[in-house]
């Protein structure tokens, strides 16, 4: 079997701490005979501040042409206030690899992680399909009279029919494959008329190809309400780039916080980008406090992408066990640090003796 190369890009802040564990897991898989190769990338704020490098062209080309996946921690550092490096590295990978589907599962793995009164793990189980290559993230816009009392700042919200259709279709395909009965499309078509109209029309058109699945519309503001009141109503949610970013932080709070939220960015090509939903968390960085379980679940999603879905299930079971036994960090009710939580996961994985 051909060796699959994984680029490992810890990035900034807690990204380094959690990816160190993800990397050890991948190294264990490799040593147990999984045909994987790891390629460490020293990119992020430290490198940027050292020599101005963000994403070198040859590195990008090698990721695009030779890698099967990227494991990314987080980008964002208080010393780089405009996040210039993150735009090139993180958004650069998402956009230039055309990874249009940012898939963010929101699934509670323990009753204890659900903070809503009267709700438990069975009530929080849905997936958000976030459009990942367009919207307000495209950096189309400009300034006028910047720095004066009359200044104007514009960010355009770009929606293409092709872009809207492919993410909606991806969401329906997922619903079909998983036996879901509904797909909700969240927009703000009552205020953003042109883009809302496009999303509405394409949603209805695509839905006709999936007769067994109810296509439901919800305004994104109301969705925030319903996600707290009745999260059990949702199975699959599809939305644009910005709304997807915001509602997945909110949704993370329903199942233990950002330390439990994993994500995959997938396109039409073979390379996938795998990252926990959280950022570099400067408030806890370097203190051995970061929850690495989002990264463990992210490695699981990556293993599935590489052709090893059994490992995704295995890692999810280990994460459930870590939380249930409180062998985890304080944000999810444990007393361990980042490294010790990682050791718990690795010990369990070793005991299972996984093989390809
Ligand atoms: P954040 O996600 O870094 O942190 C938000 C809150 O959640 C903080 O209180 C933090 O301590 C907590 N938290 C996050 N991850 C955690 C974990 N694994 N374990 C325990 N607690 C955790 O968001 P922020 O503070 O708004 O952003 C910090 C920086 O990260 C910014 O520069 C931002 O732009 C960047 N960011 C990057 C990514 C990414 O690289 N994908 C994602 C989000 C934010
Ligand atoms: C995320 C982050 C990024 C985003 C930032 C860092 C640009 O919040 O991955 O959720 O908005 O996509
Ligand atoms: Mn975000």
């Amino acid at each position: 079997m051909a060796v699959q190369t994984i680029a490992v890009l810890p990035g900034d802040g807690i990204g380094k701490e959690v990816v160190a564990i993800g990397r050890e897991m991948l190294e264990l898989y490799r040593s147990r005979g999984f045909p994987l190769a790891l390629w460490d990338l020293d990119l992020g704020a430290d490198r940027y501040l050292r020599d101005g490098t963000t994403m070198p062209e040859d590195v990008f080309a090698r990721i695009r042409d030779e890698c099967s996946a990227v494991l990314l921690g987080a980008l964002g550092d208080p010393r780089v206030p405009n996040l210039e490096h993150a735009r090139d590295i993180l958004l650069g990978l998402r956009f230039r690899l055309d990874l249009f589907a940012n898939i963010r599962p929101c699934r509670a793995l323990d009753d204890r992680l659900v903070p809503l009164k009267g709700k438990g793990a069975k009530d929080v189980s849905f997936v958000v399909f976030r459009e990942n290559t367009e919207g307000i993230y495209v950096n189309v816009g400009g300034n006028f009279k910047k720095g004066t009392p009359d200044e104007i700042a514009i960010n355009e919200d770009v929606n293409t029919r092709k872009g809207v259709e492919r993410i909606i279709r991806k969401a329906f395909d997922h619903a079909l494959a998983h036996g879901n009965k509904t797909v909700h499309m969240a927009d703000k078509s009552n205020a953003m008329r042109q883009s809302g109209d496009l999303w509405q029309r394409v949603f209805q058109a695509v839905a006709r190809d999936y007769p067994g699945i109810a296509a439901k519309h919800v305004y994104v503001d109301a969705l925030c309400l319903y996600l707290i009141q009745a999260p059990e109503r949702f199975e699959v949610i599809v939305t644009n780039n910005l709304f997807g970013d915001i509602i997945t932080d909110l949704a993370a709070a329903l199942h233990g916080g950002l330390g439990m939220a994993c994500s995959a960015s997938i396109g039409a090509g073979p390379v996938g980008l795998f990252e926990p939903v959280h950022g570099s968390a400067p408030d806890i960085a370097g203190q051995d406090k970061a929850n690495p379980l989002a990264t463990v679940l992210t490695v699981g999603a990556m293993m599935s992408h590489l052709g090893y879905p059994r490992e995704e299930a295995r890692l999810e079971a280990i994460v459930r066990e870590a939380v249930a036994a409180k062998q985890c960090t304080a944000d999810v009710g444990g007393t361990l640090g980042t490294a010790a939580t990682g050791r718990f996961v690795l010990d369990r994985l070793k005991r299972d003796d996984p093989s390809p």
Side-chain angles (χ1 to χ4, degrees):
M1 206 171 164
V3 172
Q4 293 179 298
T5 301
I6 301 165
V8 180
L9 202 168
D12 305 331
I14 65 166
K16 293 181 189 166
E17 296 164 70
V18 295
V19 166
I21 291 160
R23 192 190 186 290
E24 269 193 76
M25 294 164 63
L26 294 170
E27 194 54 63
L28 175 71
Y29 280 126
R30 213 178 60 76
S31 71
R32 297 284 159 101
F34 288 78
L36 304 173
L38 304 185
W39 176 33
D40 294 304
L41 295 179
D42 170 25
L43 299 173
D46 288 344
R47 175 80 185 273
Y48 177 65
L49 291 168
R50 199 163 68 234
D51 65 11
T53 300
T54 56
M55 173 57 81
E57 270 314 304
D58 59 323
V59 172
F60 174 76
R62 213 182 132 192
I63 291 175
R64 181 192 59 208
D65 300 335
E66 295 172 28
C67 290
S68 300
V70 181
L71 176 64
L72 187 146
L75 291 152
D77 187 300
R79 296 169 300 168
V80 189
N82 61 6
L83 234 67
E84 195 165 301
H85 67 307
R87 235 189 310 280
D88 282 2
I89 301 170
L90 177 68
L91 298 180
L93 286 171
R94 291 179 187 171
F95 280 64
R96 296 175 70 197
L97 295 171
D98 203 24
L99 304 174
F100 67 88
N102 185 210
I103 305 167
R104 297 187 160 187
C106 301
R107 228 145 45 76
L109 299 183
D110 193 295
D111 283 337
R112 199 163 49 69
L113 299 183
V114 180
L116 304 174
K117 198 157 72 182
K119 307 275 184 204
K122 67 171 185 354
D123 300 307
V124 181
S125 182
F126 58 91
V127 184
V128 177
F129 281 76
R130 166 190 179 188
E131 203 294 319
N132 210 28
T133 49
E134 333 193 308
I136 213 149
Y137 278 70
V138 295
N139 206 19
V140 173
N143 295 95
F144 184 49
K145 299 187 179 174
K146 188 171 174 178
T148 76
D150 299 320
E151 74 177 302
I152 297 171
I154 295 172
N155 279 103
E156 297 288 1
D157 177 23
V158 173
N159 297 264
T160 68
R161 185 175 179 107
K162 180 183 113 187
V164 174
E165 179 168 348
R166 64 185 180 173
I167 187 67
I168 291 176
R169 205 167 276 290
K170 194 92 176 163
F172 274 99
D173 284 341
H174 175 93
L176 190 64
H178 291 80
N180 299 133
K181 298 276 173 283
T182 58
V183 173
H184 281 84
M185 189 275 280
D187 70 12
K188 190 63 195 162
S189 49
N190 47 0
M192 300 164 69
R193 287 190 29 228
Q194 291 79 3
S195 58
D197 171 62
L198 177 64
W199 276 80
Q200 296 272 352
R201 281 186 291 114
V202 174
F203 184 54
Q204 293 308 330
V206 172
R208 283 196 280 278
D209 294 338
Y210 302 83
I213 299 171
K216 302 196 175 200
H217 168 256
V218 60
Y219 292 118
V220 67
D221 46 353
L223 175 64
C224 292
L225 175 83
Y226 302 143
L227 282 176
I228 303 296
Q229 286 182 332
E232 68 279 3
R233 282 173 51 183
F234 299 97
E235 296 176 296
V236 177
I237 297 169
V238 59
T239 191
N240 72 18
N241 207 340
L242 180 64
F243 298 154
D245 176 48
I246 296 168
I247 65 172
T248 52
D249 266 33
L250 183 146
L254 299 175
H255 65 102
L258 285 168
M260 297 300 293
C262 67
S263 87
S265 294
I266 305 292
V271 193
L273 170 65
F274 297 85
E275 32 171 343
V277 173
H278 64 72
S280 56
D283 54 340
I284 57 166
Q287 300 171 41
D288 194 41
K289 284 184 182 164
N291 182 351
L293 297 178
T295 300
V296 174
L297 296 168
T298 298
V299 169
M302 174 189 285
M303 291 303 282
S304 232
H305 173 79
L306 297 176
Y308 308 107
R310 210 170 42 167
E311 296 314 311
E312 181 172 25
R314 192 197 304 277
L315 292 176
E316 188 188 299
I318 293 174
V319 170
R320 275 182 203 277
E321 190 189 341
V323 173
K326 300 202 174 172
Q327 296 295 304
C328 50
T329 45
D331 55 314
V332 282
T335 51
L336 301 183
T338 310
T341 304
R343 272 199 301 279
F344 177 88
V345 172
L346 279 155
D347 284 349
R348 281 291 181 281
L349 196 55
K350 279 180 196 155
R351 195 184 295 174
D352 284 354
D353 196 15
S355 59

